[in-house]
Amino acid sequence: EERGQPPQSLAHDTHTNKPSTADWLGLARTRTEGLSGHTRPIACLPPCILLVASTAIAAAYALSAPVSLVGGRVVTPPISLLIYDGPGRTLGQVAFPAVSLLFGCVAPAFFRDLRRVTGAAHPGLVATSAAAFAGLAVVGAVPLQRDVPAVMRGEARLGADSVLHQSAAAVFFAAAIAHMALWMRLCVTAPPASPLSYRVGWRSALFKGACAVTSVFPLPAAFLLHPASPARRVLSLSEADAGGLQQYCLVLCVASFFASYSVELAGALDPAGEQRESKRD
């Protein structure tokens, strides 16, 4: 290699020299600078995950009939009760599989570039994201049974479609939380000057960390439903609303986390960053 030429790959290899701190910092600086004049087309897809999911949930909430239980009307019903019947059912059957398809379009390039940059395959990240979005597709494609209000009142039995729907939802949430935890571990354990390290990409790491933490601790719902909360009295919230509020918070955090992968696709994982750095040298 010519003097001043950075290594062709920054992956760790026992047969080649490890990249120096200057190489890591140069790569991170070049890719950050390139964001202003270069936008990788695929980097525009992750935000669509958040856009489609939030729009579908908001539209289903607006179009769905009020949900009533034994204790009265539920102001913030769980998402499953927004998409089990009526217009919300069709919205869920279209939007949630579409969100999974969006991530399916992003995943091959994302994990290929991640392996190129880190020199590792990261099967945990691949498996958890695949499980999460497969579960989400099933959640949308197979809604709860249409007579689920009767099931909640004890007047009907739980059907196989409802069992499959609930199981898929559990897989989605569990896999998504595991995926977020694995990514945060990668940010913390990456070499200090790596473009994926929280020390370099601290804004993205801070945002993702906030999403991961907030998805585990349902503090917003706990505050709103506290007996002394004025919001509870103003909004006429009941204990039955807790599940819905916590679910909205969790879905928003998960969707925002995956949407923020746009930052990595346009920066740390962008192959064009290496090309620009090579040309400048």
Side-chain angles (χ1 to χ4, degrees):
E1 296 182 2
E2 297 178 3
R3 186 175 182 180
Q5 180 73 16
Q8 294 299 317
S9 173
L10 292 182
H12 293 281
D13 193 326
T14 57
H15 301 291
T16 60
N17 294 328
K18 291 185 178 181
S20 66
T21 300
D23 292 330
W24 280 118
L25 291 177
L27 177 64
R29 183 180 64 253
T30 301
R31 290 174 175 176
T32 302
E33 291 171 353
L35 291 177
S36 59
H38 169 81
T39 300
R40 191 181 182 189
I42 199 171
C44 300
L45 289 181
C48 295
I49 293 175
L50 174 61
L51 177 63
V52 173
S54 58
T55 301
I57 294 172
Y61 185 90
L63 296 174
S64 297
V67 178
S68 298
L69 298 178
V70 177
R73 181 173 179 270
V74 181
V75 180
T76 57
I79 296 171
S80 295
L81 294 181
L82 298 178
I83 61 172
Y84 81 94
D85 200 8
R89 187 180 183 93
T90 303
L91 275 171
Q93 289 176 321
V94 173
F96 292 147
V99 169
S100 298
L101 180 61
L102 280 171
F103 185 77
C105 294
V106 173
F110 180 85
F111 290 115
R112 181 183 64 246
D113 293 340
L114 182 63
R115 181 169 186 170
R116 174 180 50 79
V117 170
T118 64
H122 301 287
L125 287 171
V126 176
T128 51
S129 62
F133 283 97
L136 181 63
V138 174
V139 165
V142 186
L144 293 173
Q145 61 201 79
R146 293 182 185 273
D147 63 342
V148 70
V151 173
M152 292 186 289
R153 293 192 297 267
E155 301 170 359
R157 288 188 175 184
L158 195 66
D161 47 355
S162 294
V163 173
L164 178 58
H165 176 91
Q166 292 175 311
S167 300
V171 169
F172 166 70
F173 288 125
I177 291 174
H179 179 89
M180 291 188 288
L182 288 174
W183 180 266
M184 295 311 301
R185 186 180 69 175
L186 174 62
C187 293
V188 172
T189 59
S194 165
L196 294 175
S197 171
Y198 73 93
R199 298 173 179 85
V200 176
W202 64 270
R203 292 182 180 85
S204 177
L206 182 62
F207 179 80
K208 288 180 174 65
C211 291
V213 171
T214 308
S215 68
V216 178
F217 299 104
L219 292 178
F223 172 77
L224 287 174
L225 294 172
H226 192 277
S229 172
R232 177 175 178 171
R233 293 191 296 271
V234 172
L235 299 176
S236 301
L237 298 176
S238 66
E239 296 297 337
D241 292 296
L245 282 173
Q246 293 172 5
Q247 197 177 80
Y248 298 156
C249 180
L250 177 54
V251 169
L252 177 62
C253 289
V254 170
S256 298
F257 187 99
F258 282 99
S260 70
Y261 276 145
S262 176
V263 176
E264 281 71 33
L265 284 168
L269 301 183
D270 186 1
E274 293 180 357
Q275 298 175 7
R276 288 191 296 271
E277 184 182 12
S278 177
K279 289 180 180 179
R280 186 174 64 178
D281 289 342

